[in-house]
Amino acid sequence: MKILIATQKPFAPEAVNGIKAIADEAGYQTEVLEKYPDEAALCAAVKDADALIVRSDKVTATVLDAAPKLKIVVRAGAGYDNVDLSAATSHSVVVMNTPGQNSNAVAELVMGLLVYTVRGFFNGKTGTELRGKKLGLLAFGNVGRNVARIAKGFDMDVHAYDAYCPADAIEKSGVKAAPSADSLFENCDIVSLHIPATPETKGSIGYDKVMKLPKNGILLNTARAEVIDEDGLIKAMTERPDIRYIADIAPAKAAEFAEKFPGRYFATPKKMGAQTKEANINAGLAAARQIVGYLKDGITKFQVNK
Ligand code: 3PG
């Protein structure tokens, strides 16, 4: 059996070594393909792989067609919008993610970006503090919960709305449950997005929602660029010169945001949320263990294309 680790954005070496150790113990081979230039390179590498570990790498029908022996793909991370699930299912390939393994890393980045933003991108001028501000979490999964935990240490007033998590479960975590996504935008100084990119969420954050933000509102996106309706956000930020947009992954119209909204827009040059040694180790090793668990014992606990 051969596991291919295909990561355009490489894991920390410790994570790669940990994956190799788990594979060795199971009697499996490993191959590492990092910083590869294009889909063709992935197709060439995957041709004799039984299992594939990826990050945000795109696993398309073309990649699956090029992998006749492939049995399982594990997205070492939370969001699996980069894997063509229906193509995987029709190729009889199991797809899994590793939920929760990198969520602390993303949550720490959220707080770092917030401090950076309210201190004017460290421009030397007087900023504001996070203490006492209302933070609205749109979705209360693993990342949202970790942000809530850390934000409480900043004495922030934390609110959350999650279409799939009941209000009482949110309240049990010591967070105020909002009745709707709109109410978060109406009531919170900062709205932080933690929704996956799905057909329902893509383009769902746009003009109407952003215009509801109170004065000096901040929209923070460490989820996915695709959940934003960029034209709607640009229109809102043009009409409301007090609103700021901060993202961990540049929008498609990054140049327009940068030109039109200096001092009110920032995006990381590369998606940084899960880019810590610890998150790489947690997610990478979980992926390797899940592959061994599936190939040896048929365990499908984290399968997402059931
Ligand atoms: C995730 O969905 O787990 C994060 O967005 C991390 O993505 P990355 O592995 O490409 O950094």
Side-chain angles (χ1 to χ4, degrees):
M1 293 279 181
K2 180 165 157 185
I3 303 177
L4 174 67
I5 307 165
T7 49
Q8 269 182 323
K9 193 170 57 181
F11 284 129
E14 293 85 345
V16 176
N17 292 338
I19 294 169
K20 283 183 178 163
I22 291 168
D24 278 355
E25 210 186 306
Y28 299 167
Q29 288 172 277
T30 45
E31 187 183 324
V32 182
L33 176 71
E34 291 177 338
K35 299 181 184 170
Y36 53 93
D38 53 23
E39 186 177 68
L42 177 55
C43 287
V46 83
K47 68 178 187 308
D48 59 347
D50 297 280
L52 174 62
I53 297 176
V54 292
R55 297 184 63 177
S56 289
D57 307 76
K58 290 202 170 28
V59 182
T60 61
T62 310
V63 172
L64 293 160
D65 282 340
K69 295 174 73 185
L70 196 65
K71 295 155 192 64
I72 176 169
V73 175
V74 183
R75 190 283 189 244
Y80 44 88
D81 47 300
N82 52 314
V83 181
D84 185 336
L85 293 190
S86 56
T89 304
S90 62
H91 284 77
S92 303
V93 172
V94 164
V95 181
M96 298 186 188
N97 66 347
T98 64
Q101 299 292 349
N102 58 21
S103 49
N104 181 67
V106 181
E108 287 190 12
L109 185 76
V110 165
M111 301 314 295
L113 287 171
L114 281 182
V115 172
Y116 183 57
T117 303
V118 298
R119 297 301 183 97
F121 305 157
F122 303 154
N123 64 0
K125 294 183 184 157
T126 299
T128 59
E129 297 182 20
L130 294 173
R131 182 166 64 174
K133 302 297 184 299
K134 286 189 179 168
L135 172 65
L137 305 172
L138 184 51
F140 201 60
N142 289 308
V143 179
R145 284 165 199 267
N146 273 286
V147 175
R149 171 179 57 79
I150 305 172
K152 281 193 243 166
F154 277 75
D155 274 339
M156 296 189 80
D157 180 13
V158 187
H159 299 244
Y161 173 75
D162 188 319
Y164 301 95
C165 178
D168 59 339
I170 293 175
E171 300 271 347
K172 257 190 209 142
S173 308
V175 170
K176 290 170 190 145
S180 63
D182 279 1
S183 77
L184 282 183
F185 281 84
E186 273 156 24
N187 295 315
C188 295
D189 304 290
I190 299 155
V191 173
S192 186
L193 304 178
H194 302 295
I195 45 179
T198 65
E200 298 86 62
T201 64
K202 282 183 184 171
S204 65
I205 309 298
Y207 181 80
D208 290 345
K209 284 198 169 47
V210 175
M211 288 300 281
K212 292 184 197 300
L213 283 168
K215 190 159 172 48
N216 299 323
I218 298 171
L219 177 62
L220 180 63
N221 182 9
T222 55
R224 288 291 182 273
E226 294 88 339
V227 303
I228 303 288
D229 161 12
E230 293 186 11
D231 289 329
L233 175 57
I234 289 170
K235 185 166 183 272
M237 289 178 75
T238 306
E239 287 176 27
R240 288 274 310 271
D242 57 305
I243 287 175
R244 287 166 280 181
Y245 179 55
I246 309 300
D248 179 29
I249 187 159
K253 300 193 171 181
E256 191 173 341
F257 276 91
E259 190 204 315
K260 288 191 168 154
F261 311 121
R264 298 200 282 136
Y265 160 77
F266 172 81
T268 52
K270 232 180 200 186
K271 189 161 66 161
M272 294 285 296
Q275 199 63 335
T276 66
K277 184 167 87 176
E278 293 86 342
N280 289 175
I281 292 171
N282 292 343
L285 271 57
R289 288 193 190 105
Q290 288 171 213
I291 286 170
V292 175
Y294 176 65
L295 294 178
K296 290 213 184 280
D297 300 315
I299 298 168
T300 55
K301 185 172 174 198
F302 295 107
Q303 185 174 354
V304 294
N305 64 333
K306 277 182 185 165

